[in-house]
Amino acid sequence: MTDLVMRTLDANSAHLFHTMPDPLALAEKHRRTTFRPEWQRIALRDGRTVARAAWWGRAEDTEPLLINWLDVAEGEEAAGAELLRTAPWRPDEIDLDLPADWRADARLRAAAETRVAAARLAGYAPLVERFLYRWTPDCALPERPGRLVFTPEPDDAVFLDLLRRIHSVTLDAHARRAIAQGGVEQAAQEELDIFHWMPSPRSWWQIARTGAGDPVGIHIPARNPSGPCVGFIGVVPEHRGHGYAYDLLVECTRFLAEEGAEFIAAATDRSNFPMAAHFTRAGYPVVRERVNFWAEGAVSAG
């Protein structure tokens, strides 16, 4: 094989990022995502693009937060890994988004396996597989069960306390990783930080209570940089087993719809069977799947 040429792009060369086939339909997936040209890189062999990656961060970030576009040509796993290893940034996370039917289609499965192999060679390990959902008005609004009372709460300390309780027993792989690194306090604080990072009003955050006033959980209707989303659904351990997460999801959906949302994005771990069932019941179709990778040294739970 001839030598690889690694190239970091800029505003004048950003078009070169789109000189590869796109079997996983990543361009469509990321049509609402804003990438900085200078955080995009390609690997060339004999003038042909054989791997590409895009690092992403918020407008105010000086370093990227994650890699959320990774494409590698068949047989070029080593080139994809080299593209990541030689980059000037090393975020902990790679998000590999895949079509919902990728396992059943041999072509898509092979494309996914090539990218997984490149990520592994670059020192990343799978953390969790996730379902990605997208509700639209065509899905119809689920009816409120009417069992809980939802109210805003201006005090972050109240949310932080509930997040500690929610994450004390959790199926969420990202929360479990945070707990393994720094305990429940870290997991709760990371979640709260994400809520504040989202560019939606703080006043949208809500606590769910029983009719007697006992806190059951929280839901966070939100907007991320791509649009409306279910920011968080969580039930405290002592109130689990009653399907209350469905009530929270319904309220979150209806809240965003009443705010004019034309779609609502959401996600949950494939292994979180109860929450996946709630999304199905609420009318959320799976539109894509995702494999989250974390740098080997950062992965301590999964």
Side-chain angles (χ1 to χ4, degrees), residues 18 36-37 45 107 113 143 148 165 167 179 245 287 296:
H18 300 283
R36 302 184 200 183
R45 193 185 301 280
R107 180 181 64 91
E113 290 170 352
E143 292 297 323
L148 301 174
R165 292 161 62 185
H167 284 326
I179 291 166
V287 292
E296 293 272 18

Side-chain angles (χ1 to χ4, degrees), residues 15 20 30 43 61 89 156 160 199-200 217 223 226 234 247 259 267 281 296-299:
H15 65 280
M20 275 187 72
H30 290 301
D61 291 322
W89 326 282
D156 278 10
L160 191 60
S200 39
R223 291 183 183 272
S226 296
D247 301 46
E259 288 292 327
R281 181 184 172 194
E296 293 272 18
V299 176

Side-chain angles (χ1 to χ4, degrees), residues 167 170-181 187 269 271 300-302:
H167 284 326
T170 181
L171 296 174
D172 184 86
H174 284 80
R176 289 167 59 200
R177 177 192 56 82
I179 291 166
Q181 290 179 332
D269 295 359
S271 55
S300 50

Side-chain angles (χ1 to χ4, degrees), residues 5 14 21 70 86 94 111 150 170 185 194 230 235 253 259 281 299:
V5 175
L70 174 63
T86 58
I94 298 176
F150 296 90
T170 181
E185 187 67 30
I194 291 172
V230 177
V235 175
T253 303
E259 288 292 327
R281 181 184 172 194
V299 176

Side-chain angles (χ1 to χ4, degrees), residues 208-250:
R209 293 181 172 86
T210 64
D214 190 23
V216 167
I218 65 178
H219 78 96
I220 308 295
R223 291 183 183 272
N224 63 26
S226 296
C229 65
V230 177
F232 185 83
I233 301 288
V235 175
V236 296
E238 60 268 31
H239 281 293
R240 291 177 189 167
H242 304 288
Y244 284 139
Y246 176 75
D247 301 46
L248 271 66
L249 176 60
V250 170

